Amino acid sequence: MIDHLKQLIFNIQDTSEQVAAASQELTASAEQSAQATGDIANSINEIADLSVKQVEEVNNTTAVVQQISASLKQV
């Protein structure tokens, strides 16, 4: 009976250590995922900012082309 209880306690301790190790691995994975998500969000924001600038440049170019076209029509 005592040997059975000792074995049971040993099994519980072993399982607890395995759960603790798995928990640490899960925490590390979650931290890596959070970092990756932050990096992706930053990249998306940079792309959005560059897209806005590109639209502004296209609009400026369109205005210049329209001005040139209007000038050519007057000649």
Side-chain angles (χ1 to χ4, degrees):
M1 177 77 170
I2 292 177
D3 288 339
H4 181 67
L5 286 175
K6 285 181 183 179
Q7 186 62 39
L8 182 61
I9 290 171
F10 176 76
N11 289 343
I12 291 171
Q13 182 180 3
D14 187 47
T15 302
S16 296
E17 290 171 358
Q18 290 176 8
V19 169
S23 175
Q24 289 175 348
E25 290 177 13
L26 182 58
T27 298
S29 293
E31 289 171 354
Q32 290 175 351
S33 293
Q35 179 64 43
T37 301
D39 291 345
I40 291 168
N42 288 337
S43 295
I44 290 170
N45 285 333
E46 288 177 23
I47 291 169
D49 290 343
L50 292 173
S51 294
V52 168
K53 289 178 183 177
Q54 189 173 24
V55 167
E56 290 171 354
E57 291 299 321
V58 167
N59 288 338
N60 290 339
T61 302
T62 301
V64 169
V65 168
Q66 288 174 343
Q67 290 172 355
I68 292 171
S69 177
S71 295
L72 291 173
K73 287 180 183 179
Q74 292 177 358
V75 172

